[in-house]
Amino acid sequence: MRARNGTRVPPPLAEDRVFSPTGDVPRTFKHSLLAQTPEKFEGGSVRIADSSNFAAAITTTVAMVEIEPGALRELHWHPNGAEMQYVISGMGRMGVFANHGTARTFNMQTGDVGYVPISMGHYIENTGDKPFVYLELFRTAKFEDVSLAQWLANVPPEVVADTINVPRELVEALPKTKSPVQRH
């Protein structure tokens, strides 16, 4: 079959398959992220593809995050890799925290790319009236993040309260389980 410009159009994949005498490649190089059941939270959802559910992902990891209007991706950091983001749709704001009290805030919208160096604290909030959808991309085999609220909640409350000068009741009210996307 030929296209309008005269070039040959390849046949459907089923007809074009090559059978090897040594068998198929032992792992797939395709993962259907949108077919994956998302982890749902109040305020949004997350889908993660890493080496735990995509065997070919030995050096890359992706998380597809959807943040509803009025919600945010909680303050967190990644101990095993720098993060790049690609905004699929919506409008948001990212805050990144470095050492010595330095921080930057960035507005983000469809088509933007962001970057967070390894272990720097950051959050992303939806500033629009439609879902903010983006990819978190890493050069690592396993997705890892540390929730600031969960981390603080699992340290003795008197230590946290005395260290950051807040009432102990505030620390005791922090959730002990992680909720990556939440209403604020």
Side-chain angles (χ1 to χ4, degrees), residues 8-21:
R8 183 178 172 279
V9 175
L13 284 177
E15 294 175 23
D16 204 30
R17 182 166 181 189
V18 175
F19 291 93
S20 169

mmCIF file with all atom_site columns, all heavy atoms in Angstrom, residues 8-21:
data_model
loop_
_atom_site.group_PDB
_atom_site.id
_atom_site.type_symbol
_atom_site.label_atom_id
_atom_site.label_alt_id
_atom_site.label_comp_id
_atom_site.label_asym_id
_atom_site.label_entity_id
_atom_site.label_seq_id
_atom_site.pdbx_PDB_ins_code
_atom_site.Cartn_x
_atom_site.Cartn_y
_atom_site.Cartn_z
_atom_site.occupancy
_atom_site.B_iso_or_equiv
_atom_site.pdbx_formal_charge
_atom_site.auth_seq_id
_atom_site.auth_comp_id
_atom_site.auth_asym_id
_atom_site.auth_atom_id
_atom_site.pdbx_PDB_model_num
ATOM 1   N N   . ARG A 1 8  ? 5.741  3.956   0.968  1.00 0.00 ? 8  ARG A N   1
ATOM 2   C CA  . ARG A 1 8  ? 5.074  2.710   1.370  1.00 0.00 ? 8  ARG A CA  1
ATOM 3   C C   . ARG A 1 8  ? 4.563  2.841   2.806  1.00 0.00 ? 8  ARG A C   1
ATOM 4   O O   . ARG A 1 8  ? 5.278  3.292   3.698  1.00 0.00 ? 8  ARG A O   1
ATOM 5   C CB  . ARG A 1 8  ? 6.062  1.550   1.270  1.00 0.00 ? 8  ARG A CB  1
ATOM 6   C CG  . ARG A 1 8  ? 5.453  0.215   1.589  1.00 0.00 ? 8  ARG A CG  1
ATOM 7   C CD  . ARG A 1 8  ? 6.503  -0.909  1.422  1.00 0.00 ? 8  ARG A CD  1
ATOM 8   N NE  . ARG A 1 8  ? 5.990  -2.148  1.907  1.00 0.00 ? 8  ARG A NE  1
ATOM 9   C CZ  . ARG A 1 8  ? 5.953  -2.522  3.195  1.00 0.00 ? 8  ARG A CZ  1
ATOM 10  N NH1 . ARG A 1 8  ? 6.418  -1.731  4.121  1.00 0.00 ? 8  ARG A NH1 1
ATOM 11  N NH2 . ARG A 1 8  ? 5.462  -3.696  3.540  1.00 0.00 ? 8  ARG A NH2 1
ATOM 12  N N   . VAL A 1 9  ? 3.323  2.441   3.025  1.00 0.00 ? 9  VAL A N   1
ATOM 13  C CA  . VAL A 1 9  ? 2.731  2.444   4.359  1.00 0.00 ? 9  VAL A CA  1
ATOM 14  C C   . VAL A 1 9  ? 2.964  1.060   4.964  1.00 0.00 ? 9  VAL A C   1
ATOM 15  O O   . VAL A 1 9  ? 2.658  0.049   4.329  1.00 0.00 ? 9  VAL A O   1
ATOM 16  C CB  . VAL A 1 9  ? 1.212  2.743   4.299  1.00 0.00 ? 9  VAL A CB  1
ATOM 17  C CG1 . VAL A 1 9  ? 0.577  2.614   5.672  1.00 0.00 ? 9  VAL A CG1 1
ATOM 18  C CG2 . VAL A 1 9  ? 0.966  4.113   3.704  1.00 0.00 ? 9  VAL A CG2 1
ATOM 19  N N   . PRO A 1 10 ? 3.515  0.989   6.183  1.00 0.00 ? 10 PRO A N   1
ATOM 20  C CA  . PRO A 1 10 ? 3.754  -0.331  6.773  1.00 0.00 ? 10 PRO A CA  1
ATOM 21  C C   . PRO A 1 10 ? 2.435  -1.039  7.078  1.00 0.00 ? 10 PRO A C   1
ATOM 22  O O   . PRO A 1 10 ? 1.425  -0.392  7.333  1.00 0.00 ? 10 PRO A O   1
ATOM 23  C CB  . PRO A 1 10 ? 4.530  -0.030  8.049  1.00 0.00 ? 10 PRO A CB  1
ATOM 24  C CG  . PRO A 1 10 ? 4.332  1.403   8.319  1.00 0.00 ? 10 PRO A CG  1
ATOM 25  C CD  . PRO A 1 10 ? 3.961  2.069   7.034  1.00 0.00 ? 10 PRO A CD  1
ATOM 26  N N   . PRO A 1 11 ? 2.448  -2.372  7.073  1.00 0.00 ? 11 PRO A N   1
ATOM 27  C CA  . PRO A 1 11 ? 1.227  -3.130  7.369  1.00 0.00 ? 11 PRO A CA  1
ATOM 28  C C   . PRO A 1 11 ? 0.890  -3.034  8.864  1.00 0.00 ? 11 PRO A C   1
ATOM 29  O O   . PRO A 1 11 ? 1.716  -2.591  9.670  1.00 0.00 ? 11 PRO A O   1
ATOM 30  C CB  . PRO A 1 11 ? 1.597  -4.557  6.976  1.00 0.00 ? 11 PRO A CB  1
ATOM 31  C CG  . PRO A 1 11 ? 3.077  -4.615  7.126  1.00 0.00 ? 11 PRO A CG  1
ATOM 32  C CD  . PRO A 1 11 ? 3.579  -3.240  6.779  1.00 0.00 ? 11 PRO A CD  1
ATOM 33  N N   . PRO A 1 12 ? -0.303 -3.482  9.260  1.00 0.00 ? 12 PRO A N   1
ATOM 34  C CA  . PRO A 1 12 ? -0.646 -3.521  10.685 1.00 0.00 ? 12 PRO A CA  1
ATOM 35  C C   . PRO A 1 12 ? 0.382  -4.350  11.456 1.00 0.00 ? 12 PRO A C   1
ATOM 36  O O   . PRO A 1 12 ? 0.987  -5.285  10.896 1.00 0.00 ? 12 PRO A O   1
ATOM 37  C CB  . PRO A 1 12 ? -2.024 -4.187  10.711 1.00 0.00 ? 12 PRO A CB  1
ATOM 38  C CG  . PRO A 1 12 ? -2.587 -3.961  9.342  1.00 0.00 ? 12 PRO A CG  1
ATOM 39  C CD  . PRO A 1 12 ? -1.397 -3.941  8.414  1.00 0.00 ? 12 PRO A CD  1
ATOM 40  N N   . LEU A 1 13 ? 0.576  -4.046  12.729 1.00 0.00 ? 13 LEU A N   1
ATOM 41  C CA  . LEU A 1 13 ? 1.591  -4.731  13.533 1.00 0.00 ? 13 LEU A CA  1
ATOM 42  C C   . LEU A 1 13 ? 1.413  -6.240  13.534 1.00 0.00 ? 13 LEU A C   1
ATOM 43  O O   . LEU A 1 13 ? 2.388  -6.991  13.497 1.00 0.00 ? 13 LEU A O   1
ATOM 44  C CB  . LEU A 1 13 ? 1.575  -4.213  14.977 1.00 0.00 ? 13 LEU A CB  1
ATOM 45  C CG  . LEU A 1 13 ? 2.199  -2.843  15.199 1.00 0.00 ? 13 LEU A CG  1
ATOM 46  C CD1 . LEU A 1 13 ? 2.039  -2.420  16.656 1.00 0.00 ? 13 LEU A CD1 1
ATOM 47  C CD2 . LEU A 1 13 ? 3.662  -2.835  14.818 1.00 0.00 ? 13 LEU A CD2 1
ATOM 48  N N   . ALA A 1 14 ? 0.164  -6.718  13.591 1.00 0.00 ? 14 ALA A N   1
ATOM 49  C CA  . ALA A 1 14 ? -0.068 -8.165  13.620 1.00 0.00 ? 14 ALA A CA  1
ATOM 50  C C   . ALA A 1 14 ? 0.499  -8.842  12.371 1.00 0.00 ? 14 ALA A C   1
ATOM 51  O O   . ALA A 1 14 ? 0.993  -9.975  12.433 1.00 0.00 ? 14 ALA A O   1
ATOM 52  C CB  . ALA A 1 14 ? -1.561 -8.449  13.751 1.00 0.00 ? 14 ALA A CB  1
ATOM 53  N N   . GLU A 1 15 ? 0.448  -8.168  11.234 1.00 0.00 ? 15 GLU A N   1
ATOM 54  C CA  . GLU A 1 15 ? 0.971  -8.737  9.991  1.00 0.00 ? 15 GLU A CA  1
ATOM 55  C C   . GLU A 1 15 ? 2.475  -8.546  9.854  1.00 0.00 ? 15 GLU A C   1
ATOM 56  O O   . GLU A 1 15 ? 3.135  -9.244  9.087  1.00 0.00 ? 15 GLU A O   1
ATOM 57  C CB  . GLU A 1 15 ? 0.280  -8.083  8.784  1.00 0.00 ? 15 GLU A CB  1
ATOM 58  C CG  . GLU A 1 15 ? -1.193 -8.384  8.677  1.00 0.00 ? 15 GLU A CG  1
ATOM 59  C CD  . GLU A 1 15 ? -1.839 -7.604  7.534  1.00 0.00 ? 15 GLU A CD  1
ATOM 60  O OE1 . GLU A 1 15 ? -1.128 -7.193  6.593  1.00 0.00 ? 15 GLU A OE1 1
ATOM 61  O OE2 . GLU A 1 15 ? -3.058 -7.394  7.598  1.00 0.00 ? 15 GLU A OE2 1
ATOM 62  N N   . ASP A 1 16 ? 3.032  -7.594  10.579 1.00 0.00 ? 16 ASP A N   1
ATOM 63  C CA  . ASP A 1 16 ? 4.439  -7.221  10.450 1.00 0.00 ? 16 ASP A CA  1
ATOM 64  C C   . ASP A 1 16 ? 5.326  -7.909  11.491 1.00 0.00 ? 16 ASP A C   1
ATOM 65  O O   . ASP A 1 16 ? 6.522  -7.679  11.540 1.00 0.00 ? 16 ASP A O   1
ATOM 66  C CB  . ASP A 1 16 ? 4.562  -5.700  10.568 1.00 0.00 ? 16 ASP A CB  1
ATOM 67  C CG  . ASP A 1 16 ? 5.805  -5.151  9.904  1.00 0.00 ? 16 ASP A CG  1
ATOM 68  O OD1 . ASP A 1 16 ? 6.276  -5.753  8.924  1.00 0.00 ? 16 ASP A OD1 1
ATOM 69  O OD2 . ASP A 1 16 ? 6.298  -4.114  10.373 1.00 0.00 ? 16 ASP A OD2 1
ATOM 70  N N   . ARG A 1 17 ? 4.745  -8.742  12.339 1.00 0.00 ? 17 ARG A N   1
ATOM 71  C CA  . ARG A 1 17 ? 5.490  -9.359  13.433 1.00 0.00 ? 17 ARG A CA  1
ATOM 72  C C   . ARG A 1 17 ? 6.572  -10.306 12.916 1.00 0.00 ? 17 ARG A C   1
ATOM 73  O O   . ARG A 1 17 ? 6.332  -11.090 11.988 1.00 0.00 ? 17 ARG A O   1
ATOM 74  C CB  . ARG A 1 17 ? 4.536  -10.124 14.340 1.00 0.00 ? 17 ARG A CB  1
ATOM 75  C CG  . ARG A 1 17 ? 5.246  -10.727 15.511 1.00 0.00 ? 17 ARG A CG  1
ATOM 76  C CD  . ARG A 1 17 ? 4.328  -11.181 16.577 1.00 0.00 ? 17 ARG A CD  1
ATOM 77  N NE  . ARG A 1 17 ? 5.138  -11.720 17.665 1.00 0.00 ? 17 ARG A NE  1
ATOM 78  C CZ  . ARG A 1 17 ? 4.670  -12.346 18.680 1.00 0.00 ? 17 ARG A CZ  1
ATOM 79  N NH1 . ARG A 1 17 ? 3.378  -12.499 18.813 1.00 0.00 ? 17 ARG A NH1 1
ATOM 80  N NH2 . ARG A 1 17 ? 5.467  -12.813 19.607 1.00 0.00 ? 17 ARG A NH2 1
ATOM 81  N N   . VAL A 1 18 ? 7.738  -10.215 13.524 1.00 0.00 ? 18 VAL A N   1
ATOM 82  C CA  . VAL A 1 18 ? 8.848  -11.101 13.191 1.00 0.00 ? 18 VAL A CA  1
ATOM 83  C C   . VAL A 1 18 ? 8.959  -12.136 14.304 1.00 0.00 ? 18 VAL A C   1
ATOM 84  O O   . VAL A 1 18 ? 8.987  -11.793 15.482 1.00 0.00 ? 18 VAL A O   1
ATOM 85  C CB  . VAL A 1 18 ? 10.175 -10.297 13.079 1.00 0.00 ? 18 VAL A CB  1
ATOM 86  C CG1 . VAL A 1 18 ? 11.341 -11.236 12.859 1.00 0.00 ? 18 VAL A CG1 1
ATOM 87  C CG2 . VAL A 1 18 ? 10.070 -9.264  11.971 1.00 0.00 ? 18 VAL A CG2 1
ATOM 88  N N   . PHE A 1 19 ? 9.005  -13.402 13.929 1.00 0.00 ? 19 PHE A N   1
ATOM 89  C CA  . PHE A 1 19 ? 9.142  -14.472 14.911 1.00 0.00 ? 19 PHE A CA  1
ATOM 90  C C   . PHE A 1 19 ? 10.597 -14.909 14.961 1.00 0.00 ? 19 PHE A C   1
ATOM 91  O O   . PHE A 1 19 ? 11.188 -15.264 13.949 1.00 0.00 ? 19 PHE A O   1
ATOM 92  C CB  . PHE A 1 19 ? 8.233  -15.650 14.545 1.00 0.00 ? 19 PHE A CB  1
ATOM 93  C CG  . PHE A 1 19 ? 6.784  -15.318 14.705 1.00 0.00 ? 19 PHE A CG  1
ATOM 94  C CD1 . PHE A 1 19 ? 6.048  -14.844 13.633 1.00 0.00 ? 19 PHE A CD1 1
ATOM 95  C CD2 . PHE A 1 19 ? 6.159  -15.455 15.935 1.00 0.00 ? 19 PHE A CD2 1
ATOM 96  C CE1 . PHE A 1 19 ? 4.707  -14.522 13.775 1.00 0.00 ? 19 PHE A CE1 1
ATOM 97  C CE2 . PHE A 1 19 ? 4.828  -15.133 16.096 1.00 0.00 ? 19 PHE A CE2 1
ATOM 98  C CZ  . PHE A 1 19 ? 4.094  -14.668 15.020 1.00 0.00 ? 19 PHE A CZ  1
ATOM 99  N N   . SER A 1 20 ? 11.163 -14.874 16.164 1.00 0.00 ? 20 SER A N   1
ATOM 100 C CA  . SER A 1 20 ? 12.558 -15.247 16.340 1.00 0.00 ? 20 SER A CA  1
ATOM 101 C C   . SER A 1 20 ? 12.644 -16.699 16.799 1.00 0.00 ? 20 SER A C   1
ATOM 102 O O   . SER A 1 20 ? 11.852 -17.138 17.634 1.00 0.00 ? 20 SER A O   1
ATOM 103 C CB  . SER A 1 20 ? 13.199 -14.343 17.395 1.00 0.00 ? 20 SER A CB  1
ATOM 104 O OG  . SER A 1 20 ? 14.464 -14.834 17.765 1.00 0.00 ? 20 SER A OG  1
ATOM 105 N N   . PRO A 1 21 ? 13.620 -17.429 16.322 1.00 0.00 ? 21 PRO A N   1
ATOM 106 C CA  . PRO A 1 21 ? 13.773 -18.818 16.779 1.00 0.00 ? 21 PRO A CA  1
ATOM 107 C C   . PRO A 1 21 ? 14.172 -18.895 18.258 1.00 0.00 ? 21 PRO A C   1
ATOM 108 O O   . PRO A 1 21 ? 14.011 -19.924 18.882 1.00 0.00 ? 21 PRO A O   1
ATOM 109 C CB  . PRO A 1 21 ? 14.875 -19.375 15.870 1.00 0.00 ? 21 PRO A CB  1
ATOM 110 C CG  . PRO A 1 21 ? 15.570 -18.189 15.313 1.00 0.00 ? 21 PRO A CG  1
ATOM 111 C CD  . PRO A 1 21 ? 14.586 -17.070 15.302 1.00 0.00 ? 21 PRO A CD  1
#
